[in-house]
Amino acid sequence: MREIAFIKQNKEKWLEFELAIFGKAKKNPDELANLYIQMMNDLAYAQTYYPKSKTVVYLNHLASQIYQKIYKTKRTDRNQFIDFFKIDVPLLVYEYKRYLLYAFALFFVTVSIGVISARYDQDFVRLILGDEYVNMTLENIKNGNPMAVYGSGSNWGSFIGITVNNLFVGAKCYFYGIFAGIGTFTIFLQNCIMLGSFQYFFYEQGVFWKSVRGIWIHGSMEIFAIVIETTAGFILGASILFPKTFSRLNSFKIGFKNSFKIFLSTFPFTISAGFLEGFITRYSIDMPNWLSSFIILITLAIISFYYLIYPFIVHKKLHSLTAENL
């Protein structure tokens, strides 16, 4: 069947799906289940015969939205807060996984730009970080503790101040996405170039490993969370730029609701990073190598698993359960 005929044959049914998703047509769980089965059949057909078509993207989005609606009607007796992190966010991350890929690709490219710029322009680090910070860090390196800046202030004061600042940076990465994603790109670009030049500065001074042991104790979660917040900002911007078959307003509503959930999911990791920076990083210079390395690896493993592996596990598991039970 030609794609045009396929669309013409099923467009009324798909309209019914959209009405169910947006709450304009009331459907009980059984009706939703039947809609989901039909949607999955249409999606499978489209993936087989029109794999690169926009129809596949459209049907995949509808199927995902209907699935979440079905699941929501069947879990009223469960803890919604737990389900938010256990089910909702992983499914959304899976649905928007290509935006996560874009954010990580941009991260590595822009960090590399920071590294290269710092290497070939001796004034670049001072331009990015400021003379005062660079001079202070050089003095700390001279005194044998490159990470001394993290030991200033009280534990609780540092924790609160750092966490508030990181939440603010993350919020900018996300909410600036409303400017068609350009605002998110700009904030992320600045932070990644700063990170690359900052890390190269320590390498140039011969204290790279000491800096890694200190910075990445909290940085694994902090930087990873910023990548996720940037992903959410890109989703928000894309909902405005690329409404697909939806009206631009409805596309924005969907994009905002879904991206905001992903953004909120970063809060526990950002707060954890602030705690580590306020209470643990300051002692990195005195830690044995194995302990600092363990903290870095375990924090990176936790957040990487949640955003890079767990969404695929949840999607596969719940998709199987739906196929068996609906």
Side-chain angles (χ1 to χ4, degrees):
M1 183 187 302
R2 299 185 57 147
E3 185 178 4
I4 295 176
F6 175 70
I7 294 172
K8 185 176 181 180
Q9 176 179 310
N10 294 286
K11 65 179 182 180
E12 292 185 6
K13 179 175 58 179
W14 297 344
L15 177 60
E16 185 181 0
F17 295 163
E18 286 194 35
L19 293 175
I21 291 172
F22 294 119
K24 296 179 181 179
K26 299 297 182 181
K27 300 289 183 183
N28 62 45
D30 290 335
E31 290 176 316
L32 285 174
N34 289 330
L35 287 177
Y36 181 76
I37 292 172
Q38 294 178 55
M39 175 59 68
M40 292 307 298
N41 290 336
D42 290 343
L43 177 58
Y45 185 90
Q47 287 174 329
T48 300
Y49 294 101
Y50 327 113
K52 297 182 179 180
S53 169
K54 290 183 179 180
T55 304
V56 174
V57 177
Y58 169 70
L59 292 177
N60 190 56
H61 177 75
L62 284 185
S64 176
Q65 293 296 316
I66 289 178
Y67 180 83
Q68 291 184 48
K69 201 172 186 70
I70 293 170
Y71 189 76
K72 183 177 179 181
T73 63
K74 293 186 176 183
R75 61 175 186 178
T76 55
D77 59 334
R78 299 178 62 177
N79 189 312
Q80 293 188 8
F81 178 79
I82 293 176
D83 282 340
F84 173 79
F85 289 98
K86 187 178 178 181
I87 303 295
D88 293 350
V89 171
L91 284 177
L92 288 172
V93 171
Y94 180 87
E95 179 182 350
Y96 293 101
K97 55 186 178 294
R98 69 183 182 279
Y99 293 97
L100 183 58
L101 178 63
Y102 300 155
F104 267 108
L106 180 62
F107 170 77
F108 289 114
V109 169
T110 50
V111 168
S112 297
I113 290 173
V115 170
I116 295 171
S117 298
R119 179 178 180 181
Y120 291 102
D121 184 350
Q122 294 184 349
D123 296 325
F124 186 77
V125 173
R126 291 184 177 273
L127 177 66
I128 296 296
L129 301 176
D131 288 331
E132 182 179 353
Y133 185 86
V134 170
N135 292 335
M136 176 188 66
T137 304
L138 287 172
E139 186 65 26
N140 290 336
I141 293 172
K142 183 179 178 181
N143 294 331
N145 186 4
M147 299 292 100
V149 65
Y150 294 108
S152 60
S154 66
N155 298 84
W156 278 103
S158 297
F159 164 54
I160 294 172
I162 289 164
T163 301
V164 170
N165 178 72
N166 290 345
L167 289 172
F168 179 67
V169 172
K172 288 199 298 182
C173 282
Y174 170 59
F175 285 109
Y176 281 19
I178 200 169
F179 300 110
I182 297 174
T184 292
F185 175 82
T186 302
I187 296 297
F188 192 53
L189 178 68
Q190 293 172 352
N191 281 277
C192 290
I193 289 178
M194 181 183 297
L195 173 64
S197 61
F198 180 64
Q199 194 64 83
Y200 183 80
F201 170 69
F202 286 106
Y203 170 79
E204 192 175 42
Q205 298 301 317
V207 290
F208 178 73
W209 176 239
K210 286 184 178 180
S211 72
V212 168
R213 288 177 54 202
I215 296 169
W216 293 97
I217 282 178
H218 61 272
S220 293
M221 283 190 172
E222 177 185 323
I223 301 302
F224 204 119
I226 289 176
V227 175
I228 301 302
E229 288 151 355
T230 298
T231 300
F234 286 158
I235 295 170
L236 183 61
S239 71
I240 300 171
L241 289 175
F242 310 110
K244 299 176 184 176
T245 59
F246 301 103
S247 69
R248 201 170 297 276
L249 179 59
N250 280 336
S251 176
F252 173 72
K253 288 179 180 178
I254 294 171
F256 176 74
K257 182 181 71 173
N258 293 341
S259 62
F260 189 66
K261 288 180 179 179
I262 295 175
F263 166 63
L264 286 180
S265 73
T266 65
F267 279 26
F269 298 105
T270 301
I271 293 170
S272 297
F275 176 84
L276 289 170
E277 188 170 352
F279 286 89
I280 307 298
T281 299
R282 64 180 61 223
Y283 304 114
S284 64
I285 195 68
D286 300 316
M287 285 183 185
N289 284 336
W290 70 265
L291 181 57
S292 55
S293 299
F294 174 77
I295 295 173
I296 292 169
L297 291 175
I298 196 67
T299 54
L300 181 60
I302 289 171
I303 194 168
S304 297
F305 175 80
Y306 185 71
Y307 286 109
L308 301 182
I309 300 174
Y310 187 59
F312 289 87
I313 295 174
V314 173
H315 179 267
K316 183 177 180 180
K317 180 179 179 181
L318 295 183
H319 190 277
S320 298
L321 288 174
T322 303
E324 292 175 2
N325 298 324
L326 292 183

